[in-house]
Amino acid sequence: MTTLGYAILGLLAREGLSGYDLTQRMKGRVGYFWSARHSQIYPELARLEDGGFVTHSVVEQRDRPDKKVYEITDVGLEALKDWVTEPPPEKPTRDELTLKAYSVWLADGEEAARVFRAEGLKHEEQLARYEEIRSWMEDEWREDLSSPGSPHFASYATLQRGIIHERGYAEWCRWLAEAVGGEISISGRGEA
Amino acid sequence: MTTLGYAILGLLAREGLSGYDLTQRMKGRVGYFWSARHSQIYPELARLEDGGFVTHSVVEQRDRPDKKVYEITDVGLEALKDWVTEPPPEKPTRDELTLKAYSVWLADGEEAARVFRAEGLKHEEQLARYEEIRSWMEDEWREDLSSPGSPHFASYATLQRGIIHERGYAEWCRWLAEAVGGEISISGRGEA
DNA sequence: ACCCGCATGTAAGTCGTTACATGATTCT
DNA sequence: AGAATCATGTAACGACTTACATGCGGGT
């Protein structure tokens, strides 16, 4: 079974979904840390069904094309549950921006500062979005967030990972931009 | 040109290296955030030479097999320099442990806590290793670390990224292990 | 003799991306 | 009539991993 398979099972364990629905969930990101395109999802669903981890039923719709709604089976649920507590294989981290930083000594300081400042901004923006969702969760799901057995708790946990990730990344970008470039100029540069 | 190509150029911009040397550097990790096996490196070196980004010369050794030492060309250096300040394409983050967290509500709390505690420990250990290297760098390279034009500064910057990454990851693991499991039991469990 | 480290390659397979392909239904 | 969204697939290609393959020289 592939990791993508477990990602799909993780979504189906919460609710029945079509391939299209799954694709939408995977765009945003499953719990913010996995993604896949429809071209990968449809064949994987077929394999999961072949293995008995999911089943599907065709749902007819008036206003839209019919769809196949997939549901997780007991076998699938069991496999997913077992996978959760297996230690993950350690895969090497690959981060292109950090790799760029490794050769930043060759670049013009101002130019490099612009790049890292811009990347830092992106991560700050993502952080802000995540924090907004977190506030919403804390309001809406208050009780669930102290029950590790609830799916809402699990969603909150992955979001929490996203927040920590973005915060750290933004911090590093700001630090590096400052170190290589120095002054932060507002576009237009008001100096007379 | 592939990202791996730039990873190799980034190393060769600092010193001439053989395919074998490059492989060793990539195992540890280039500046801690890229990696590759020899089976990927040798063909990539051939492509880089084809494109005029590197050249090689055979160095004969008495005590060991001969080797090809690769050097970066002016063309290669220019390409690398330009790449550094190009904004990186954003690639989706894929983290299996976070994906597991998304389905952690299905698992036994104690079992899950063990997994996340164990992973947290790994990241704390890596953090400790990185921090030791940082201390060493701060002692050994003191002056360079304030000159963004020095390779040592760039190495320090990537290490800094590694430190922030591990710190955040460890923090999250500890938080989640605590939330799903509660008590930290020493193996053997001294309770009477 | 055998294993280990140095040294360099190729081949097969997996995972993921981009592109190709089709068709229903609704909105403008 | 044409574009947008919903819906489901396949094919070609690229990046990376694992395995296959070979050979030198030094230490036990």
Side-chain angles (χ1 to χ4, degrees), chain A residues 2 4 34-40 61-65:
Chain A
T2 64
L4 174 62
W34 205 268
S35 70
R37 308 299 177 88
H38 79 274
S39 61
Q40 219 186 339
Q61 302 180 117
R62 293 148 244 160
D63 50 337
R64 288 185 249 176

Side-chain angles (χ1 to χ4, degrees), chain A residues 14-36:
Chain A
R14 292 158 179 242
E15 50 177 335
L17 293 167
S18 68
Y20 186 83
D21 294 333
L22 284 162
T23 304
Q24 301 313 108
R25 300 282 193 290
M26 293 275 190
K27 265 184 201 163
R29 39 197 59 186
V30 193
Y32 319 98
F33 272 92
W34 205 268
S35 70

Side-chain angles (χ1 to χ4, degrees), chain B residues 124-189:
Chain B
E124 272 161 32
E125 284 163 359
Q126 188 63 49
L127 176 61
R129 278 192 291 272
Y130 284 167
E131 277 176 334
E132 219 172 290
I133 298 169
R134 183 169 62 177
S135 291
W136 179 87
M137 283 185 182
E138 283 168 352
D139 280 6
E140 213 70 15
W141 297 348
R142 212 163 340 93
E143 291 104 69
D144 294 329
L145 299 191
S146 43
S147 336
S150 109
H152 287 160
F153 168 84
S155 293
Y156 184 75
T158 59
L159 180 61
Q160 189 67 11
R161 175 76 199 105
I163 286 173
I164 289 173
H165 173 78
E166 298 300 338
R167 190 181 288 149
Y169 214 121
E171 184 200 327
W172 178 73
C173 288
R174 265 181 281 124
W175 168 80
L176 185 52
E178 181 61 28
V180 297
E183 69 270 25
I184 294 151
S185 74
I186 305 303
S187 91
R189 316 210 322 292

Side-chain angles (χ1 to χ4, degrees), chain A residues 25 33 39 51 56 73 90-92 96 112 115 130 137 142 170 172 175 187:
Chain A
R25 300 282 193 290
F33 272 92
S39 61
H56 83 267
T73 63
E90 47 175 314
K91 300 223 193 78
E96 197 165 333
V115 172
Y130 284 167
M137 284 184 181
R142 210 164 339 96
W172 177 72
W175 168 80
S187 91

Side-chain angles (χ1 to χ4, degrees), chain B residues 42-104:
Chain B
Y42 287 111
E44 186 64 32
L45 278 170
R47 276 190 291 273
L48 287 171
E49 190 156 39
D50 234 55
F53 301 104
V54 304
T55 50
H56 83 267
S57 51
V58 177
V59 173
E60 280 164 50
Q61 301 179 118
R62 290 148 247 165
D63 50 337
R64 287 186 251 175
D66 298 356
K67 61 177 175 178
K68 295 186 190 175
V69 173
Y70 287 84
E71 312 264 359
I72 195 167
T73 63
D74 289 348
V75 173
L77 211 55
E78 198 55 35
L80 179 59
K81 195 191 128 190
D82 290 346
W83 170 79
V84 170
T85 51
E86 260 166 43
E90 47 176 313
K91 299 221 195 79
T93 318
R94 282 196 180 86
D95 185 279
E96 197 165 333
L97 191 65
T98 310
L99 189 63
K100 280 173 194 277
Y102 188 70
S103 295
V104 75

